Structure formats: structure tokens, C-alpha cells
């Protein structure tokens, strides 16, 4: 029998997910000069790119141009995209094993971490993941209600997602109109009455997860003052010692920018973004209707763990903050896929260098791989997924050489396409996506916007002239 990966017997790979990790994985597979690879990519949404489309902030348009590189990967003659195809709904693992030698899961982190405090589920308290998906026009979240009639909001966490959320809340409608924020979100934010936003860090400025360009950016908004308390950005002795020892210029700069904000006098702008440190929410308090009205905070101090990490420790000193809207931005979380081994506590597909492991036995499950956020957890920028996927694909290539792969009964592209057609006749190809993309840009230009996103699957299918099943 001819070798798998030859012209007459290509290596057939199914990729589940179409975010950065999926595209970088396919790119590296196609770079294997000694292998002929056929890659089919599946996404539950009709649109590719994962969080590049539904996560990256609408006012960070430049970052989204990374998708041009993905278009180039998708132009490979042996690449196919099947959008609107949900693994676990339309296709099972057994289906993929029937048609492919290897399966790469790159499904990202579809859920959120919780704070674990009383009142977390009061009305008006939301995971940032949902607000992000809403303002970015994710079809699952377009009808999600956010009450922007209140004047004060808190965002828990000081990572880049928290800062994205805070920025979108305090930008002016004019600033937002220049972005690709969803049209309904632009309209809702135009009428927003939010005046004060509190970003809440449980540790100090030297431990804040947000990065310097993002911290600088909040000081450059059209109509928002940034307010930082001088006492909260003075480094405690433990942080001072760590910062001095590390000699990390980027970190020094971050602390310096924050200390600079503390020296600024508010200019009476219409919105105020407070960046707080060394405080943790311990309870959300609601009114008689179950709506959040207040957040109880405890002041923290930093203590060194055995490994030298500085952790927050509650002092017992409390403070109440009146807020009508709370976003917890304390991290995303992966979700389990049917029949795919999953590590519940870590929220990832347990793996070693991308090779999926059975959590019960710790053994490699041949033929199954993971990359991106579902592999390593919800951290890292778009570029971080490239070496991550390269590592996984290297394992795939090594295993192929060792004969560790599925033996598909029907390793035939037409048979796989026929199965998709049977299970989800409304699947979307990459050519279809390119049409949607062009339409979104044209519709945006017509209304002076960079892009007007389709925000419902039915609208996308209708724009493609595809029949939408009756409800
Ligand atoms: C709010 C936010 C803003 C960010 N902004 C930036 C930024 O400005 N710059 C930067 O460099 N990085 C940014 N990042 C980080 C970056 O987006 C991630 O590193 C990257 O998207 C992770 O890639 P991924 O492919 O692992 O997952 P994702 O991008 O999440 O892609 C996963 C894909 O899998 C699909 N999927 C899930 N389940 C299924 C299923 N059952 N069947 C089929 N398909 C499925 C999803 O629909 C999605 O398309 C941001 C992240 C967030 C959360
Ligand atoms: N512009 C960009 O480049 C961009 C934009 C968005 C996202 N991203 C990337 O996407 C990844 C995910 O971002 P993220 O913001 O979701 O995660 P993150 O960077 O891990 O930040 C999470 C934040 O939540 C805090 N936190 C966690 N648990 C908490 C709790 N129980 N109570 C209070 N605070 C808590 C963390 O504080 P501790 O540090 O104390 O744990 C941290 O400040 C990051 O790598 C990020 O850089 C990049």
C-alpha cells in the first residue's frame, strides 16, 4: 500500500475550529514538503476566524488584518472550509474517524471563569465574554440584554479583555462609529448613560495582566478621564524588590504610565474610567427586584507564596461601590466536546505537546490533537498560537511516521463532503464567506463604517441566497 501523505493517498486532516490556532495548524501542515495533505476545516459558525472576529475589540481594526494571512492559507487547493457545521451537533468523532487520518481540535475557550462570590448571578452581573460577543455581533449573543441605562459599571479583572470592555463602555458614539462594532451595539451604546467605569485589580500595578499599549490607549480617549489613586500605584516593598530584580523595562514602563495617570487632574470629561488596585469583590448586593446595585470590596495586601509569586490576601477592610452593571473579566474557559477527553478542572483538552491524553490513564489517544486555547488555556495573543500549532503539527507528523493515526474507512474528500451535505445542507464554504466579507465591507462603506457585520446566521444565509429552514 502506498504511503499516507503521498499524491495518491493524501494525509487527510479534519480541523475543528477556524480561529488562529486552526489556521496556523493548517499552514504548518501545508508546509510539510514531503507530505500531500488535505485539510477540511469545520466551524460551528458560518464565519471563520474565531476570536479575531468575535473577540478582538472593534476599535482595534488593524489587528484584524491578520485574517489576510488566513485567506492566503485558505487559498491552498487542498483546503476546504465547512462553516455552520457544529462538531457534536452535525458531526461526531466517529464521523471524523471514518473520513480522516487525524483530527485537530482548535475550538478555543467558549465559556468563562466565575468569581465564586455571593450575588454573582444577580441581574446586571454578566461575564465579560458575553458582552464582548454582543458588541462584536456574535449571532448567539445579539439578543442578549445589557442595561446601559445605569450610570456606574464595574469590570472585575485587569487583563486586556477587561480593558477592552472598559474602553468600549467609555468611548463616544463618534469614536465607536469608526469601528466595526455591531450596528445594534452602536445604537445601544449611543444611548448609554454610563458615566463611571471601575476597573478592579485584585493585586497591584506591577502584577496587572494588561499590556502597555492598552494602558496607554485609555489615556488617549476622546471624552474620558482616567483616574488612578496615587496610594494604589505606589509599589509595596515586595513588588518593588521584584520589579528591581527583574529589570524588566516593559514592566517598569507599565508602572510608570499608571503612576503618571495618578498625577493627572481630571479634565471634567463626560466619562471617567477609574483603575483600581488591591481590591477584590467579595459580594454583589441587589435590590428587591434582584438587580445588582452595589459591590462589596475587600482591600488586599500582597503576600509572597513559596515560589515567590505575589498573591492577594484580604485585609478585612471593606468598601462598598455603587454599581448597576458588573462584568467579570477573570478569564475565559474551554468547554468539553462530545467523546473528546477533557480535563474539567483546567478547562482544556488534556494533552502533551498537542497529543490528546486520556485524563483517566494519562495515555496518548492516537489520531487526536489540540492547539490554541483549548490546548493550553485561555491566554496569549494571536501570534502565540503560531508556535503552539507548529508544536502540535510536529507531533502529528512524527506520529504519522510511526503509524499512529486513524484508519478511515472512507478517506475520500467527496464522501466527507457528502456527509456534511447530508447533515448540514446549509454549510458555508470559504468562497461563500468571501462573499459575506465583501458584502459587509460594502454595506459598511454605504453607511460610513469600516464594516457592517451580519449578526444573524439567517441573514448570512439569506445574503448568500440559501434557503433558511422554516422555524
Ligand atoms: C476579548 C478578546 C480580545 C482579544 N484581543 C486580542 C488582540 O487585540 N490581539 C491579539 O493578538 N490577541 C487578542 N486576543 C487573543 C486571541 O484572540 C486568541 O489568542 C486567539 O483567538 C485564540 O485562538 P484559538 O484558535 O485557540 O481560539 P478561537 O479564536 O476562540 O477560535 C475557536 C473557534 O472554534 C470554533 N468552535 C468552537 N466549538 C466548536 C464546535 N463544537 N464545532 C465547530 N467549531 C467550534 C469557534 O466558533 C471559533 O471559531 C483576544 C482575546 C479575547 C478573548
Ligand atoms: N489587545 C490585546 O492584545 C489583547 C486583548 C484582549 C485579550 N488579549 C489576550 O487574551 C488573553 C486573555 O485575556 P484576559 O483578560 O481574559 O485574561 P488574563 O490576561 O489572564 O487576565 C485575567 C485577569 O483577571 C484577574 N482575575 C482572575 N481571577 C480573579 C478573581 N477571582 N478575582 C479578581 N480578579 C481575578 C487576573 O488577576 P490575577 O493576575 O491576580 O490572577 C487578571 O487581572 C490574554 O493573554 C490577553 O493578553 C490580548
Amino acid at each position: 500500500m502506498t504511503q499516507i501523505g503521498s499524491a495518491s493517498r493524501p494525509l487527510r486532516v479534519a480541523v475543528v475550529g477556524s480561529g488562529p490556532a486552526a489556521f496556523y495548524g493548517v499552514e504548518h501542515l501545508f508546509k510539510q514538503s514531503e507530505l500531500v495533505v488535505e485539510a477540511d476545516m469545520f466551524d460551528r459558525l458560518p464565519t471563520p476566524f474565531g476570536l479575531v472576529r468575535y473577540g478582538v475589540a472593534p476599535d482595534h481594526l488593524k489587528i484584524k488584518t491578520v485574517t489576510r494571512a488566513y485567506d492566503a492559507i485558505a487559498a491552498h487547493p487542498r483546503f476546504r472550509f465547512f462553516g455552520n457545521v457544529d462538531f457534536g451537533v452535525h458531526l461526531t468523532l466517529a464521523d471524523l474517524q471514518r473520513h480522516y487520518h487525524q483530527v485537530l481540535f482548535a475550538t478555543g475557550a467558549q465559556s468563562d471563569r466565575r468569581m465564586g462570590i455571593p450575588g454573582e448571578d444577580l441581574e446586571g452581573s454578566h461575564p465579560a465574554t458575553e458582552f464582548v460577543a454582543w458588541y462584536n455581533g456574535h449571532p448567539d449573543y445579539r439578543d442578549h440584554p445589557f442595561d446601559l441605562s445605569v450610570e456606574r459599571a464595574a469590570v472585575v479583572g485587569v487583563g486586556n479583555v477587561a480593558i477592552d470592555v472598559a474602553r468600549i463602555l467609555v468611548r463616544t458614539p463618534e469614536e465607536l462609529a469608526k469601528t466595526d462594532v455591531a450596528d445594534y451595539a452602536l445604537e445601544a451604546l449611543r444611548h448609554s448613560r454610563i458615566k463611571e467605569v471601575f476597573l478592579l485589580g485584585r493585586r497591584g500595578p506591577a502584577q496587572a495582566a494588561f499590556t502597555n499599549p492598552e494602558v496607554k490607549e485609555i489615556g488617549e480617549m476622546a471624552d474620558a478621564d482616567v483616574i488612578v489613586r496615587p496610594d494604589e500605584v505606589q509599589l509595596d516593598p515586595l513588588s518593588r524588590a521584584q520589579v528591581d530584580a527583574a529589570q524588566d523595562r516593559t514592566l517598569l514602563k507599565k508602572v510608570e504610565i499608571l503612576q503618571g495617570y495618578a498625577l493627572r487632574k481630571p479634565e471634567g470629561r463626560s466619562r471617567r474610567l477609574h483603575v483600581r488596585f488591591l481590591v477584590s469583590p467579595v459580594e454583589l448586593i441587589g435590590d428587591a427586584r434582584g438587580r445588582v446595585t452595589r459591590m462589596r470590596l475587600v482591600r488586599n495586601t500582597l503576600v509572597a507564596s513559596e515560589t515567590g509569586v505575589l498573591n492577594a490576601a484580604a485585609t478585612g477592610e471593606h468598601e462598598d461601590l455603587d454599581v448597576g452593571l458588573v462584568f467579570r473579566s477573570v478569564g475565559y474557559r474551554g468547554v468539553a466536546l462530545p467523546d473528546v477527553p477533557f480535563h474539567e478542572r483546567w478547562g482544556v483538552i488534556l494533552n502533551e505537546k498537542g497529543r490528546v491524553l486520556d485524563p483517566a490513564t494519562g495515555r496518548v489517544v492516537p489520531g487526536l490533537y489540540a492547539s490554541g486555547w483549548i490546548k493550553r488555556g485561555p491566554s496569549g495573543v494571536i501570534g502565540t498560537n503560531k508556535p503552539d500549532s507548529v508544536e502540535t503539527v510536529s507531533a502529528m507528523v512524527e506520529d504519522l511516521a510511526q503509524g499512529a493515526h486513524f484508519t478511515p474507512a472512507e478517506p475520500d474528500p467527496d464522501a466527507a463532503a457528502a456527509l456534511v451535505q447530508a447533515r448540514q445542507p446549509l454549510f458555508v464554504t470559504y468562497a461563500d464567506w468571501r462573499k459575506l466579507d465583501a458584502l459587509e465591507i460594502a454595506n459598511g462603506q454605504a453607511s460610513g463604517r469600516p464594516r457592517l457585520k451580519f449578526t444573524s446566521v439567517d441573514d448570512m444565509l439569506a445574503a448568500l441566497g440559501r434557503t433558511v429552514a422554516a422555524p
Side-chain angles (χ1 to χ4, degrees):
M1 197 130 177
T2 45
Q3 193 91 17
I4 297 172
S6 60
S8 59
R9 203 180 167 206
L11 168 66
R12 295 189 38 71
V13 179
V15 181
V16 183
S18 68
F23 274 98
Y24 294 129
V26 170
E27 180 182 43
H28 201 60
L29 278 165
F30 285 151
K31 274 193 184 157
Q32 305 304 309
S33 51
E34 74 289 3
L35 285 180
V36 177
V37 181
E38 289 173 349
D40 286 349
M41 187 182 278
F42 301 92
D43 204 288
R44 57 183 291 275
L45 294 170
T47 49
F49 312 145
L51 286 168
V52 178
R53 181 175 166 96
Y54 294 118
V56 172
D59 55 346
H60 284 177
L61 289 174
K62 213 169 147 199
I63 286 163
K64 303 186 195 204
T65 58
V66 68
T67 59
R68 289 191 202 133
Y70 305 158
D71 288 342
I73 297 163
H76 192 286
R78 292 181 194 268
F79 173 88
R80 298 189 300 187
F81 175 66
F82 295 96
N84 207 20
V85 177
D86 197 342
F87 176 87
V89 175
H90 303 110
L91 293 177
T92 63
L93 183 58
D95 292 330
L96 297 183
Q97 283 172 326
R98 192 171 173 77
H99 294 280
Y100 301 91
H101 298 104
Q102 296 178 324
V103 182
L104 171 59
F105 292 101
T107 47
Q110 302 296 311
S111 184
D112 62 282
R113 286 182 53 203
R114 293 180 62 82
M115 295 185 291
I117 59 170
E120 188 163 2
D121 294 317
L122 283 171
E123 205 183 314
S125 164
H126 310 269
T129 51
E130 293 182 356
F131 188 58
V132 165
W134 174 79
Y135 65 59
N136 276 317
H138 191 300
D140 294 355
Y141 295 92
R142 53 168 284 150
D143 298 320
H144 215 82
F146 296 99
D147 182 2
L148 301 174
S149 70
V150 300
E151 294 200 349
R152 290 156 63 95
V155 184
V156 182
V158 282
N160 279 331
V161 172
I163 217 165
D164 278 355
V165 166
R167 219 175 48 246
I168 295 303
L169 286 170
V170 298
R171 283 229 188 261
T172 63
E174 294 70 32
E175 285 177 298
L176 290 171
K178 294 184 202 141
T179 75
D180 69 357
V181 70
D183 55 351
Y184 56 77
L186 178 61
E187 204 41 37
L189 288 161
R190 198 187 290 286
H191 298 107
S192 159
R193 294 179 58 200
I194 290 185
K195 296 265 177 297
E196 311 230 36
V197 175
F198 296 84
L199 258 182
L200 304 174
R202 63 178 168 183
R203 299 190 287 160
Q207 292 80 32
F210 45 47
T211 41
N212 292 3
E214 282 65 31
V215 192
K216 255 192 229 154
E217 192 180 9
I218 55 170
E220 294 159 2
M221 288 180 298
D223 195 18
D225 280 321
V226 177
I227 298 173
V228 172
R229 296 188 181 188
D231 58 317
E232 289 185 349
V233 285
Q234 283 319 309
L235 294 187
D236 62 291
L238 290 173
S239 297
R240 177 86 267 162
Q242 286 198 346
V243 167
D244 288 346
Q247 281 303 304
D248 177 342
R249 292 175 65 86
T250 312
L251 177 56
L252 284 171
K253 186 75 200 162
K254 188 191 296 182
V255 174
E256 203 181 292
I257 300 168
L258 289 163
Q259 289 176 342
Y261 287 150
L263 298 174
R264 280 194 190 181
K265 286 225 157 50
E267 292 178 19
R269 297 175 175 204
S270 50
R271 286 169 179 176
R272 290 145 74 95
L273 172 54
H274 302 257
V275 189
R276 301 282 314 269
F277 292 101
L278 293 163
V279 283
S280 284
V282 288
E283 185 180 359
L284 301 188
I285 298 146
D287 61 13
R289 290 186 303 127
R291 277 205 47 93
V292 66
T293 53
R294 213 156 23 108
M295 174 186 269
R296 181 150 299 153
L297 297 170
V298 69
R299 172 151 288 281
N300 295 327
T301 184
L302 292 177
V303 292
S305 73
E306 277 175 15
T307 56
V309 175
L310 299 188
N311 290 321
T315 60
E317 187 190 325
H318 290 94
E319 153 188 0
D320 280 4
L321 196 62
D322 288 335
V323 281
L325 194 55
V326 174
F327 295 106
R328 60 169 186 271
S329 183
V330 298
Y332 280 58
R333 192 181 147 80
V335 296
L337 296 163
D339 302 325
V340 181
F342 191 71
H343 193 290
E344 268 307 328
R345 199 157 54 82
W346 297 349
V348 297
I349 296 179
L350 193 68
N351 70 93
E352 193 175 76
K353 297 187 173 170
R355 291 182 178 98
V356 174
L357 302 178
D358 180 342
T361 62
R363 293 226 183 92
V364 169
V365 184
L368 297 190
Y369 300 86
S371 75
W373 279 18
I374 195 64
K375 169 187 175 186
R376 64 173 197 279
S379 74
V381 293
I382 293 167
T384 317
N385 300 293
K386 193 166 183 166
D388 183 281
S389 292
V390 165
E391 179 186 66
T392 298
V393 168
S394 303
M396 292 166 76
V397 173
E398 268 174 45
D399 292 355
L400 180 70
Q402 301 298 318
H405 52 77
F406 299 136
T407 307
E410 287 188 276
D412 169 16
D414 291 342
L419 177 73
V420 175
Q421 172 69 38
R423 299 281 177 76
Q424 171 50 307
L426 293 173
F427 73 87
V428 169
T429 65
Y430 209 79
D432 289 335
W433 154 246
R434 293 305 299 264
K435 278 186 215 154
L436 290 176
D437 187 32
L439 279 171
E440 286 188 342
I441 293 169
N443 292 343
Q445 274 167 0
S447 48
R449 309 265 324 272
R451 170 187 294 271
L452 206 55
K453 284 184 175 179
F454 289 106
T455 59
S456 92
V457 174
D458 285 357
D459 288 352
M460 294 179 200
L461 295 173
L464 293 169
R466 308 282 292 278
T467 321
V468 179

